[in-house]
Amino acid sequence: MRSLQYLPSFTVYHRTAKDVNTLLVPRLSLIKTRNYPLPLRAATSTDEIPPNAVRRKTDSNWRGGFSLGVDLGLSKTGVALSKGYTFRPLTVLKSRGQKLETRLLEIAEEEEVDEFIIGLPRSSDGKETVQSNKVRSVAGRLAVQAAERGWRVYVLDEHGTSSEASDRMIVMGLGKSERQDREDAYAAVILLERYFSTQGLGTEIILPKSVDLQEKIKNTAPEDPDFLPGKLEEYYRF
């Protein structure tokens, strides 16, 4: 990744365990002033801008919402896709810096994604690492560009995803060379599976400071009439 000179303007909010079984009701995003139009107020939590995993839990009729899992490494970035109840590895990117961020946005556009789930490195005791700061920097820059398109960016603890990915590929019968080439993408798959299986527990939303951009990402994910949970298919094609 490129050397970090500055952090863009963004805000982080954390979803905790007590939120998992709580119905999330978006609060009003306007505050009242006398004799003037109601001004916009900055979003304050994932209650107001819930991730897809939470929307699925709280709205049985909700449809749509691709999620892009991103495993940011020192030299490679794994990318995976989720929609509904299916997960698959997409690719491993070797670009860095602005080129990487641009490519992630292009993939999101191609795959009709509306949110990014980015793995956040933590040590075995749950503490953030030096690499965590680099990931947060990339997530912050990406959040600004994503919000311009109405998309959201979240980070989630990725501890253990690489080892789980390696074990899964061994069970799948992949050789050593294939495992080395695909591990980052499968780690992103594990991240997405963890994210949905826990209904978004532990996700942190990365928000741009601009209230106008925040308004863009408060809208519900668009419905996809082609998505039918009862018609699942196996699509591990990578």
Side-chain angles (χ1 to χ4, degrees):
M1 299 180 183
R2 66 170 63 174
S3 59
L4 306 178
Q5 302 298 327
Y6 65 94
L7 294 177
S9 296
F10 63 90
T11 307
V12 175
Y13 297 107
H14 185 66
R15 179 171 165 76
T16 61
K18 69 178 182 179
D19 299 317
V20 173
N21 297 315
T22 303
L23 181 62
L24 301 180
V25 181
R27 294 188 289 274
L28 294 177
S29 59
L30 302 176
I31 55 176
K32 188 174 182 180
T33 57
R34 183 185 301 178
N35 300 325
Y36 289 96
L38 299 178
L40 300 177
R41 177 178 61 78
T44 59
S45 72
T46 52
D47 290 21
E48 293 179 280
I49 309 178
N52 290 339
V54 175
R55 287 174 172 164
R56 177 195 294 177
K57 176 180 174 63
T58 58
D59 183 359
S60 60
N61 296 316
W62 177 79
R63 295 292 182 271
F66 274 98
S67 303
L68 202 69
V70 181
D71 180 76
L72 288 168
L74 294 175
S75 60
K76 296 186 294 184
T77 296
V79 183
L81 178 68
S82 168
K83 183 177 183 183
Y85 301 89
T86 53
F87 309 86
R88 69 182 175 100
L90 282 181
T91 187
V92 173
L93 304 174
K94 295 183 179 180
S95 53
R96 301 169 67 183
Q98 184 58 51
K99 289 184 179 180
L100 171 62
E101 295 156 23
T102 298
R103 184 62 188 127
L104 288 173
L105 292 168
E106 290 173 348
I107 293 174
E109 183 74 37
E110 294 164 4
E111 301 293 347
E112 299 178 332
V113 162
D114 65 2
E115 72 175 9
F116 296 84
I117 306 299
I118 300 177
L120 183 67
R122 290 183 184 274
S123 59
S124 58
D125 61 2
K127 295 181 180 179
E128 294 194 13
T129 66
V130 174
Q131 182 64 12
S132 303
N133 294 330
K134 296 179 180 180
V135 168
R136 286 187 179 279
S137 180
V138 174
R141 292 195 301 269
L142 188 65
V144 174
Q145 299 176 77
E148 292 172 350
R149 298 162 172 80
W151 305 335
R152 306 172 307 283
V153 173
Y154 302 87
V155 294
L156 178 65
D157 182 5
E158 67 171 18
H159 181 70
T161 54
S162 293
S163 60
E164 287 185 45
S166 180
D167 291 343
R168 178 173 299 186
M169 288 187 290
I170 290 174
V171 172
M172 292 171 61
L174 298 182
K176 182 177 180 180
S177 178
E178 287 182 294
R179 295 199 303 271
Q180 290 176 338
D181 290 340
R182 304 182 183 187
E183 181 177 292
D184 298 275
Y186 276 88
V189 168
I190 300 296
L191 180 72
L192 285 177
E193 291 177 345
R194 178 182 297 176
Y195 160 66
F196 277 103
S197 67
T198 60
Q199 295 89 46
L201 176 64
T203 52
E204 299 178 23
I205 186 167
I206 309 297
L207 288 174
K209 286 291 187 180
S210 168
V211 178
D212 289 334
L213 288 180
Q214 290 182 25
E215 282 298 306
K216 281 190 174 184
I217 60 177
K218 283 184 181 179
N219 297 324
T220 302
E223 288 189 0
D224 183 349
D226 297 324
F227 170 53
L228 298 173
K231 302 179 74 172
L232 303 180
E233 63 182 52
E234 179 64 36
Y235 64 144
Y236 272 86
R237 296 192 296 264
F238 175 65

